[in-house]
Each structure stands twice: as structure tokens, then as C-alpha cells.
Amino acid sequence: MNRSALRNMMLLVGLLACLVQPVAAQNDKGADPVDPGSLTGKVMVGYQGWFNCPGDGAELGWKHWAHPSISHGIFGPGNVSVDLWPDVSELDADERYATGFRHEDGSRGEVFSSANRKTVMRHFRWMQEYGIDGAFLQRFASGLSYQTTLRNKNRVLNHVREGAKESGRTFAVMYDLSGLQKGEVERVFDDWTELREIQRVAEDAQYQRHNGKPLVAVWGIGFSDNRPYSLQECFDLVKLLKGNGCAVMLGVPSYWREGTRDAVDDPLLKEIIKAADVISPWSVGRYRSPREADRHAERVWQPDRRWCEEAGLDFLPVAFPGFSWHNLHGGELNQIPRRKGDFFWSQIKAAEHIGCEMLYIAMFDEVDEATAIFKCTNRPPTGNGGKFITYEGLPSDHYLKLAGKASRLMKGAGKTVPVKKEDDRRLLIGYGEGVLELNGQNDIVWHYQEPGIETVYDAWKLPNGNVLFAHRFGVREVTPDKKTVWDYKIPPIKGKQEINSCQPLPDGKVLILDCGNQKLLEVDRQQKVTHSIDLPDGGKNVHNRYMQARKTPQGTYLISYRDNRVILELDKDGKEVWRYDLKEKDRPFTAIRLANGRTLIPCITSYQIIEVDPEGKITWILDKRDDLGFELLYPVGVQVRKNGNLVVINSDYHHRKGMDNDVQAFEITRDKRVLWTLMKTDLEEDGKVPVVERGTKMPSHHLLSIQVLGEPAGLK
């Protein structure tokens, strides 16, 4: 068939498809759409949309679930081509298709179809829910000349258009040239002409644009795997698309710049690349570990990005969560392990580190090669011999959350931004072996570290300018020039020396929690104990009995029992007037009584801050389910500001990931917007930590308490 006849046929098929299912309408009110004007700042996912099942109306059988040679047979043991199993628990009954696989309990395994409108719409709602900007819909050119597959491609395209419109995500068409023969590349432009002129896809409000033009992606140019189509055909296609008023993105090999390994050594490849607007080197399978990913970013991505910058191109790196195609090609099961998200996140951080401003995630729904990031199950149907990988016990939305964090990182909102520069705000911070004061420019302007000072859980700047702090062996007050003016010490009895808390009281006295002797003390300026309460037993471990104690404006005392997992409120005689029992995994650090009568409780081992009312009902919670743009670790020191915001220490003390923790502290609103973060680099000079622990010499800060100076702390 000649090119003109083919084009006319495709136009007719496309027109009929549009009559069957209308093009999605433009922008609904309240869709909160992503700005489609540029790729810059965006995280896009690849959307295969190629899964079919008997009964979905496409008449393609078990497409991409089972091997093509027997695709009309049952999808079950011995006929499977996927290594991950989708989580279909949220799908309605009319979105699920029974397979020949069975779970351990005998129930049938079920999957989805991309031809099902409800499912594609659901996928785009997931993108919206987790903050993913949009998708490149994969449109394999090898199937464009067959009416059945073309009809299905157009059907999925219409679902994607509608899903993008409803969810406010962007989308763009990505043509994959894989499988084309010599002389067949021109069919891509024929198809694009039909999509643009008849289906008017580029006129959708959410169609992705770049440099003011609709973006078309072409994948598969310059690979060294003996593809039948030529580079010249690809060059002609790029020129046709550019002449059609499009911005062009090219999917090229990882080593396109050197012309080695996966790339052809042909100068025409670089000429084609220079004619495009964006290039995206394919990196799936090019490295296997976070360390290798870091090295690839440094040695390959970074010089690639510089080359593109000099050539006036934009650089779009590819990140993938893992890889396995055991059932598809017989390779090793779990060939590139996911490492519980560490592998995926290492690539995202590496891209951000070298200055990339956009990212392509491969893929959203690719369960064939196990690169999917959408919801997959940890309980695949293996009851009758199936072999699949899982998300290693992680929640099914774990990788969607990481992709959303990546999106904020590319925009700058998720980048762990430095403390907002405010000349009128200073921070007093207690850490493992001393006290720091930071000015509004994040500089350490005062630092106290002396022999005998260990584990500063509590530190206060007093109205006279002195600093009062509790350390393991006592409570000390020092002047700005570091002279000791008050020094309360616990008698040096082995197993009895443990102070975790102090609080300056309005009458000039100091509240001290004597963990070793299990007493709550009020001590005057002459170091006379004016009031003492014997505390209920906190257990044998002196270090873990209690954490902090606070006196409330009502004259009662709140004590945090660490090992006993309880908050007790005692009156002046030590009688219990209120208690809150925490869950088994919780260990409280402190308890702050709020003006509304509720109590704020940071819990360190469960990584959360909860607010409870007098009846013990949780009325507010901040935990790892909240997407802050960084990992929530031990929320130890907490201050409630005058405006109700929380200033929180994000401590890595004793944490296995301590060395990877960038965010040391942050301020967050009650609607969970992070206003600023204090970075580890803010506490470094020339890349080095000026404050280290004497015992371990570890370059970690191990922050424990925080106070925004100029505001009373804790009683809001």
C-alpha cells in the first residue's frame, strides 16, 4: 500500500474511532490541572496501556499477560509473560478478569485490561493523588497498520485523554519504533497527522507541550541491536514532526555520546539529536545498585547534560525501580532487585544532584519487565505454580509515593530547601554533646561543648540571654561567653545518674526530671529542692524510663514514660489525674499541653506526632504516611509556635539511615505544609561537620531539642 492510501485508510479508521467514542472535553472546573506548558520541573511516567483480556471488547485475547504465540489460550501456569502481579483490590468487579492462576486459598488470580475505561481513569486518578505530573502514552508503531490493534490503540488513547482531563494530569504520545522494518518509519508521521488533524489530540487542554509546541516523543533511535530501519529514516521523521510545528523528544541509547555499547557509532545520530528539543537516554538495565546508579549519573548523565546544554537541548534522564523478565524471556527472577525503594530513590536523588530539572520514570504499568510503579501486590497467585516478584512487603503504593516525592524534588518544593532566611528568627538546638545557636542566615553563631556534657535533650534560652540545658549528669546554666553560673549535678552513684529534662519555671525555679532516682524536682537558684514528687516506677533501664517532663499552666505535671509507653499527668502531690496509654510500638519523647486542652505527643520509635483530646481520642496525626518530601525519622524536640505551627527535630540519633538523613529539622503547619527545612549542610562548613561526637567521631549532628528564640515554648 502506498503512503497516500495508507494515510487515507488511517484517517478513516481514526474518524470512525472518534465517532464511536468522542474526544475528551477540555478542562473541567476544579480539576486543579498540571500546567502543560513545559516539561521543565515535571516527572512523567511511561504508560504502556497494552494489556488486554478476553471479554474486554478488544478481541486481542491475553495480550501482554501471556506469550504472543499462545495468547488466545488460557493465561495461567506455563503461559505467562509478567513478573509482577497488579493489586486489583481497589478495582470494581467489572474491571477484574479471572485468570488460570490460583492463590494459596484456591481463589482465582485476577488482572485488569487497559481497554477498560474505568481502569485507565483510575490509573490517572492515582497519578493525581500521588502528585505525578503526567504520562507518555506508548504507541508502538509496529501495530499501526493492523485495524484491530489500531482500533485498540485509539481506544486506549481516548481513555488516556479522558483520564488526563478528569485528573488534571498531562499526557503526550510516545511512538516506539521497535519492530519496524526498513522503510516503515514514515507510518509514524502518517499516524501523527491523523491524531492531530482528525482526532485533534494536540488541542486537548492537558496535552503536554514544550517550548510552546505540542510534544511528540519518538523512542528507539540509534540503538546498536541491528534494527532494520535506518538512521536516515529517523532523521526524516524528526524533520517532518518539526515541520508540523511540534517539539520532539527522542529516546536514545545510554551511550549515544560515545557511540559505544548500546549505541551505534555514526555521526548522523548526533545530527538527529541536535535537531530535536529533548533527549532521553534509556538507562533501564544499565546499572543494578544505588552505588552503580550514582556512578552512572556522574560519569554518563552529567556529561550528557552538559553536552545538551551547550547544544540548546533539554535532558530527560530515565529512572526505574527494578527489573525482572523471568516469565517473559526466562532470565533470572528479580534480576535487578528493588531494595525496598532504595535503588529507585538513589536514581532520583542522583538526577537532582547533577542539576536535572525533569525526570522520566519507566514505567507506570509495566509488569512484563517488572518496572511498574503502580499498585502491585505482595501476595501474587502462586498456589498452582506461579513465580512472581513482589514489593518486598512494602505498601502497594510505595513507589507511587516515591514518584510523587520525585515530582516535588524536580519542582524545588520537594528539594530539602534550606531554612528560610529570617533575620528575626534564631534557633537554639541541643544535640548529642552540646548546644548550638543559629542565626537567620543559618550560620552557627554560638556553640557550647565542654567535657562532661553528654546528650542534651533539653535546652532553653532564658530572658537574660543565658542558656539553660539538661545533660545526662545534671542541669547547667551558662552565659553567652560560656561561663557557668548555675550547675545542678546528680550525685555520682552508678546507675543513678540520668537527667533527660529541664524546664525553666516562671518563678525562677527549674523543673528537673531525675530519671535515676525516679523523682520530679523543683529546684531554686540556690540549688535547694523546694518540691519533690516520687514518680511511679518507670522500669529497670534507667536511660529508657522517662524522656521529658513539663509543668502545665494549671500546675500539674506531664511525664513521658518511654519503656512503659504512657503519658501520666500528676498533681502537686503526685496523684494521677490523667493518663494516655500508647500502642505497643510507640515510645513517647515528650507531652505538650495545648491551650485547647489537648496534648501533643511526639513518638520516636513509631515516627509520628499525635494530638489527643482529654478523652484519649486522636484528633491529629503526623506520620510516615504523610508525604513531606523527605523521610520522617525520630521527631524528638518539638516546639509549638505562636501561630500554631510545629517546629520539629527530625533526628537520626541511633537511626540505621542516619548518614543519609538530609533534613535535620523542619517547620510544618497544621494542614501539613512544610514551610522550611534545616539541612545537614546548613550545619557544615566547607562540606565538613564542625561539630562531631567525641566518642564516635561520627560526622552526624544528632539533634535532640529545638527552640525558636523569642517565643515561649511548649505551652500553647
Side-chain angles (χ1 to χ4, degrees), residues 219-234:
W219 192 94
I221 297 178
F223 285 83
S224 60
D225 53 358
N226 298 315
R227 300 188 171 217
Y229 54 87
S230 68
L231 284 179
Q232 187 59 52
E233 290 181 73
C234 298

Side-chain angles (χ1 to χ4, degrees), residues 64-112:
H64 278 279
W65 294 112
H67 289 281
S69 59
I70 46 176
S71 61
H72 291 286
I74 187 66
F75 167 37
N79 186 22
V80 55
S81 60
V82 301
D83 275 22
L84 271 173
W85 199 272
D87 180 358
V88 296
S89 60
E90 295 181 26
L91 275 60
D92 295 334
D94 58 352
E95 297 176 77
R96 301 194 301 267
Y97 301 83
T99 75
F101 284 100
R102 293 191 178 275
H103 292 281
E104 295 292 342
D105 62 2
S107 61
R108 284 192 179 272
E110 297 176 316
V111 294
F112 69 90

Side-chain angles (χ1 to χ4, degrees), residues 39 210-211 213-219 221 234-243 246-252 256 268-281 307-316:
L39 270 183
H210 194 62
N211 297 333
K213 302 173 183 179
L215 181 67
V216 180
V218 181
W219 192 94
I221 297 178
C234 298
F235 200 7
D236 292 341
L237 173 61
V238 171
K239 288 186 284 188
L240 284 170
L241 291 170
K242 295 284 287 187
C246 300
V248 177
M249 187 193 98
L250 300 182
V252 298
W256 61 272
L268 184 56
L269 176 57
K270 287 190 175 68
E271 292 303 311
I272 299 172
I273 289 172
K274 289 178 181 177
D277 298 88
V278 184
I279 69 161
S280 182
W307 190 98
C308 290
E309 188 174 10
E310 292 173 0
L313 303 174
D314 287 303
F315 181 72
L316 179 66

Side-chain angles (χ1 to χ4, degrees), residues 390-463:
T390 70
Y391 276 0
E392 304 168 296
L394 295 169
S396 66
D397 63 351
H398 181 74
Y399 291 94
L400 291 172
K401 287 182 177 179
L402 290 182
K405 290 182 180 181
S407 180
R408 286 185 296 280
L409 201 66
M410 291 297 112
K411 292 173 178 60
K415 290 181 180 178
T416 43
V417 293
V419 174
K420 191 184 301 179
K421 305 296 192 290
E422 293 182 10
D423 291 335
D424 61 344
R425 184 184 65 215
R426 297 165 76 93
L427 299 171
L428 188 75
I429 294 174
Y431 74 101
E433 295 186 357
V435 186
L436 304 169
E437 184 176 333
L438 306 180
N439 65 13
Q441 304 304 309
N442 312 341
D443 297 323
I444 299 175
V445 295
W446 189 81
H447 173 219
Y448 185 88
Q449 184 187 51
E450 294 291 338
I453 302 301
E454 181 183 331
T455 315
V456 179
Y457 281 118
D458 239 349
W460 307 77
K461 188 75 171 282
L462 303 177

